[in-house]
Amino acid sequence: MNELTFTDVHAFQILDSRGYPTLRVRLTSSNGTWETASAPSGASTGAHEAVELRDSGSLYSGRGVETAVAGINTSIRELLLSRTWPSQRSVDTALCELDGTADKSRLGANAVVAVSMASARAFATFSGQELHAWIGNSLGQPERLPVPHFNVLNGGAHAANPLAFQEFMIAPTGAPTLPEAIRWGSEIYHALGLTLRQKGLSTGLGDEGGYAPEISRPEEALELITAAITDAGYVTGPSGVTIALDPAANYFYHEGSYDLNGRSYNPSQLTKYYEGLISDYPIRSLEDPLAEDDPYGWPELTALLGSRVQVVGDDLFVTNPDRVRKGIQEAAANSVLIKPNQIGTVTETLDTLTIAEQGGFTAMVSHRSGETEDTFVADLAVGSGCGQLKSGAPARGERVAKYNRLLEIADAFPALPYGLVEKFSKDRGTS
Ligand code: 2PG
Ligand code: MG
């Protein structure tokens, strides 16, 4: 019998890392094993993302997810218990059909993604594989331990400071192993904290565990971070530690122009500004440098900067296979951010990874700013072999849970290679 039978599906409301409600699913298979999965939640969400179902009303300021929970415990439960399941794709296709909308707004992407993730875990267990190995086999790709991208300084929608850019990440690209990369990240994070204290700046944290000092110019943040890298004893650049930025430009885009550093930029001026930052600092990756609905700037920016940095579409692509396909055709970026809850199912997420690879794009797997202790994205990063994971700072339980899961995989599978894959399809055959 190669098909999976579920005997129970049950969801309940829990809290995420911001103290807002989200949901957890418990999915039981006929052999008596059960798997859980929890839905994360974004703050700087793209307009084209699959939609979370929230209750509105007065409880939890309208953010409750009891309606989404009830949908799992009734119609999704009925569906999953009604037949046997030959594959994850069959489960995800049935979930999409039951929902019946293009953006998962009837059942809620929060409900659908948690069920889909729990189902992927059930299929992995059913086939006797670890989740990351099952993902690697599903994609037909060699596994790889990713370079952790530690978001050490927060701004934008994730912090109360006046800094427009959302994320300043350090990537230990030159570390020889994953455990070394984690150590480098932790040491640099603490060196940064010490510098902030010495300068009398706040060491309060943003939503993803990075510091959120009262600074406003990206250059100030970049100076502090490069100094912290050096203070911790590391070199900047590909053989040491590089920087990845997520300006999340939707946040400072208003009516056709970008409000930054007290002035207004059009897309070409902002692109020139990034070019200056890339020349002055060891930046290797630039995510959402422009707004999702800036129709002309992306190909222009990628043509100018794409040979020097990874240009990552997050709100632009929202892990959507069709949007990534279009982005590849238009050369609107050269990389895609991968967040399962943006599209709603594991199968669609894996399809997006395949499309990215075939189109010569790199990919980076990502957490959300509202997280739980669920570590699915760590396994997804390893199984996809994409070489990059961002999961916030090397601090705060929900962020560290993903890095600790990477350490667990690295410990159990010491032969797995570590590091970047410069071109997504290059280098993969040999590992
Ligand atoms: C992002 C994410 C994760 P959010 O913009 O990349 O860091 O933030 O989950 O708030 O969309
Ligand atoms: Mg982003």
Side-chain angles (χ1 to χ4, degrees), residues 244-267:
L245 297 179
D246 179 5
N250 279 348
Y251 181 79
F252 54 95
Y253 180 69
H254 301 108
E255 292 166 6
S257 64
Y258 296 87
D259 300 331
L260 184 68
N261 298 336
R263 55 164 286 201
S264 177
Y265 294 77
N266 66 30

Side-chain angles (χ1 to χ4, degrees), residues 305-359:
L305 305 179
S307 61
R308 297 173 65 190
V309 289
Q310 174 177 259
V311 181
V312 188
D314 170 13
D315 292 341
L316 179 69
F317 295 140
V318 293
T319 317
N320 182 312
D322 295 335
R323 293 183 68 86
V324 172
R325 217 176 268 120
K326 186 161 172 279
I328 290 168
Q329 276 161 13
E330 294 171 356
N334 57 28
S335 184
V336 57
L337 200 75
I338 299 290
K339 296 166 167 169
N341 83 323
Q342 277 183 324
I343 185 69
T345 66
V346 172
T347 299
E348 289 164 293
T349 303
L350 299 185
D351 286 349
T352 299
L353 279 157
T354 301
I355 289 163
E357 190 209 3
Q358 289 168 352

Side-chain angles (χ1 to χ4, degrees), residues 44 166-167 246 248 287-288 314-315 337 339 390:
S44 61
Q166 181 175 282
E167 297 168 30
D246 179 5
E287 177 185 328
D288 282 356
D314 170 13
D315 292 341
L337 200 75
K339 296 166 167 169
K390 69 168 195 173

Side-chain angles (χ1 to χ4, degrees), residues 18 41-46 49 151 157-158 166-167 207-208 246 248 287-288 314-315 337 339 342 366-370 390 392 399:
R18 279 190 277 253
S41 176
S44 61
T45 47
E49 287 193 25
N151 181 10
H158 295 169
Q166 181 175 282
E167 297 168 30
D207 285 0
E208 298 190 347
D246 179 5
E287 177 185 328
D288 282 356
D314 170 13
D315 292 341
L337 200 75
K339 296 166 167 169
Q342 277 183 324
S366 170
H367 65 156
R368 298 308 305 248
S369 53
K390 69 168 195 173
R399 312 295 147 189

